[in-house]
Amino acid sequence: TIFINIGYSYTSFYFFDHRLKLFTDSHSFQAGLSVFLREAQVDINIDHLRAKNLLKSVGFAKDSSVDLDRILKPAVDELCLELQKFINSVRAKFQTSSISRLYLLNLASEIHLLDKKIESNISIPTAMFDPTSIVKRTNVIEPFIKDLPSFIAAIGGSLE
């Protein structure tokens, strides 16, 4: 399993080895949500807030008046190229034949259908990581339930 942590200006990949029950490899590079925002802003000539709203509401949806799929292609290609290099590296280092799943974390939730786009490019099942299994659902948590993947670092840091 690989966890993909998309930050604002960086992205990190983490390989979780199920046999050892440990994260055994990682890779980071300077490209995150800001690259997707910049692509949308420059190509459509919109401000930061409108770009953020388009990514969150439209993203990679097929039936939209704005073709963000075409506009975001350079950013997606860069992300998928780095991911494929990391997958190849993990396979070589750990003699694993396949990666069973990709999970997106953090600001990936700000890009609608990014998981499906990565899945179609890499051909590995991909989904937003759902941390509801490790948190107790309360009235405090409920308003943030859709954005919990953005809080995974804080949740992880709070575990004892």
Side-chain angles (χ1 to χ4, degrees):
T1 301
I2 293 176
F3 289 87
I4 304 168
N5 179 15
I6 297 183
Y8 186 76
S9 58
Y10 69 92
T11 295
S12 299
F13 305 132
Y14 304 96
F15 173 63
F16 184 78
D17 188 323
H18 290 277
R19 288 175 295 138
L20 299 174
K21 301 205 182 310
L22 289 172
F23 288 100
T24 55
D25 202 5
S26 66
H27 170 67
S28 296
F29 63 101
Q30 285 190 318
L33 179 63
S34 63
V35 173
F36 289 89
L37 287 167
R38 191 172 49 249
E39 294 284 349
Q41 284 178 271
V42 170
D43 201 278
I44 308 172
N45 195 24
I46 57 175
D47 65 21
H48 180 82
L49 185 58
R50 178 118 194 273
K52 187 176 181 196
N53 290 338
L54 269 176
L55 288 177
K56 182 111 175 155
S57 62
V58 175
F60 292 100
K62 297 286 184 205
D63 300 326
S64 173
S65 60
V66 180
D67 186 9
L68 282 180
D69 196 4
R70 178 190 57 79
I71 293 165
L72 299 176
K73 185 175 179 0
V76 170
D77 288 350
E78 180 181 357
L79 175 65
C80 289
L81 177 65
E82 287 290 328
L83 179 56
Q84 192 59 61
K85 287 193 294 189
F86 182 67
I87 291 169
N88 293 343
S89 168
V90 164
R91 286 179 177 155
K93 279 184 197 175
F94 302 102
Q95 284 84 42
T96 182
S97 60
S98 69
I99 304 296
S100 61
R101 194 94 169 144
L102 304 175
Y103 286 108
L104 297 171
L105 308 167
N106 203 355
L107 298 179
S109 63
E110 297 295 312
I111 307 171
H112 184 58
L113 297 176
L114 179 60
D115 54 343
K116 300 305 171 208
K117 186 65 177 174
I118 292 172
E119 184 173 323
S120 72
N121 285 4
I122 302 292
S123 300
I124 297 174
T126 306
M128 287 299 299
F129 180 69
D130 181 11
T132 55
S133 65
I134 60 172
V135 296
K136 183 178 178 182
R137 290 182 82 145
T138 66
N139 291 341
V140 173
I141 298 280
E142 284 306 316
F144 304 103
I145 213 77
K146 285 189 170 201
D147 294 319
L148 276 183
S150 296
F151 296 105
I152 199 65
I155 293 169
S158 298
L159 296 176
E160 293 180 10

